Amino acid sequence: MKKLISVFLVLILTLAPMTGFAARDVAKEEILAQNLKALGVFRGVSENEFDLLRAPTRVEALVMLVRLLGKEAQATDEKNPHPFADVPKWADDYVGYAYKNGLTNGVSETEFGTGDANINTYLTFVLRALGYSDIEGDFSYSEPFSLSQQSGILPAIVDRENFLRADCVTISYVALASYMKNSNTTLSKKLISDGVFSEADFLRYYDGDAVEYNATAKKELDAEEIYKKCSPAVFYVEVYDKNS
């Protein structure tokens, strides 16, 4: 009897960490993923499954980025080559497009990398998509966090340590409201201009308050922008002297 109890306790202690790991609530991220899918910039592992409680592979993270940019059709049409021998055939076109456009590098000259993507990887991808360059010194792969917070793509809900596909969804979602580098244009406005989705659909499926601490970068306004914001509140009062 004592032996059976001991075995039972061992099983409980063994399974407890797994239970805790699986307990993360991603209901909010499921909604965000559905909205991104409705806009045509995200897809799951199947028609009805997003698999958000799993860490993304480097290839999956890269494919998410290409879809976020609305470049999936272009990538599959162009079929750009790449130098990496470890990319699965289904992802060749995505990696080729990203490699050609400076959105990704491999872990070596001939290997893209088959491991999981961490938060540094995905933030680097998205910052590059917003026009920032780690080569030109805007940020570094080892420290993309300051610029990511400044740019509004790193809300508090993102788990930096246990980075999952759910976190990719959150970063992708808030990135739509973030500004392109040195621009007054957000990523969503660029995608609307490119015909990826309509403004009506964006207003229908995007809620800027859906993510807590959606720290969209606050830009300093120039004189023209200040005028546009303030001019509706300006009025003219003409006073007459009764003796005139």
Side-chain angles (χ1 to χ4, degrees):
M1 182 68 175
K2 289 183 178 179
K3 185 175 181 181
L4 288 174
I5 292 175
S6 298
V7 171
F8 181 69
L9 288 173
V10 168
L11 285 172
I12 290 177
L13 293 173
T14 302
L15 293 174
M18 295 177 62
T19 303
F21 174 78
R24 178 175 170 182
D25 183 4
V26 295
K28 178 178 287 188
E29 289 88 343
E30 286 280 348
I31 295 173
L32 300 183
Q34 288 286 357
N35 290 334
L36 290 175
K37 180 182 177 182
L39 290 172
V41 294
F42 184 79
R43 286 198 294 170
V45 295
S46 68
E47 186 62 29
N48 300 308
E49 176 56 52
F50 296 120
D51 204 10
L52 300 184
L53 282 169
R54 176 172 60 77
T57 65
R58 278 177 53 84
V59 167
E60 286 177 329
L62 190 280
V63 171
M64 288 181 193
L65 173 67
V66 173
R67 287 173 177 159
L68 175 64
L69 296 176
K71 299 298 184 180
E72 182 171 25
Q74 184 176 340
T76 54
D77 287 344
E78 290 182 356
K79 300 189 180 303
N80 294 295
H82 61 76
F84 310 120
D86 58 346
V87 174
K89 188 172 181 58
W90 68 268
D92 272 336
D93 295 340
Y94 301 93
V95 175
Y97 173 85
Y99 182 75
K100 175 187 175 183
N101 289 279
L103 296 173
T104 189
N105 297 306
V107 297
S108 72
E109 291 185 358
T110 59
E111 293 184 335
F112 181 74
T114 57
D116 290 339
N118 59 22
I119 188 171
N120 298 59
T121 300
Y122 200 63
L123 288 177
T124 294
F125 284 167
V126 176
L127 285 172
R128 288 173 181 167
L130 292 174
Y132 295 100
S133 171
D134 43 328
I135 296 176
E136 295 177 4
D138 293 329
F139 69 99
S140 67
Y141 176 84
S142 61
E143 208 295 291
F145 306 109
S146 297
L147 182 57
S148 295
Q149 288 176 319
Q150 178 186 341
S151 302
I153 63 171
L154 186 55
I157 193 176
V158 172
D159 192 329
R160 301 190 186 194
E161 302 299 324
N162 181 31
F163 190 70
L164 304 178
R165 286 170 58 90
D167 299 305
C168 290
V169 167
T170 301
I171 292 171
S172 297
Y173 192 88
V174 297
L176 290 177
S178 297
Y179 289 99
M180 306 297 293
K181 179 184 176 181
N182 297 331
S183 171
N184 294 320
T185 300
T186 59
L187 177 58
S188 61
K189 287 183 178 178
K190 182 178 184 301
L191 296 179
I192 290 170
S193 177
D194 291 343
V196 176
F197 48 74
S198 67
E199 184 174 6
D201 281 343
F202 180 71
L203 294 174
R204 177 181 179 186
Y205 293 111
Y206 193 85
D207 178 5
D209 297 321
V211 178
E212 206 173 312
Y213 186 53
N214 183 0
T216 300
K218 293 179 174 57
K219 296 171 63 65
E220 292 187 7
L221 302 180
D222 58 27
E224 183 179 353
E225 290 172 316
I226 292 173
Y227 172 77
K228 287 180 179 179
K229 285 182 174 292
C230 297
S231 59
V234 176
F235 57 92
Y236 175 72
V237 176
E238 187 172 4
V239 178
Y240 294 92
D241 186 332
K242 67 178 182 179
N243 298 318
S244 297

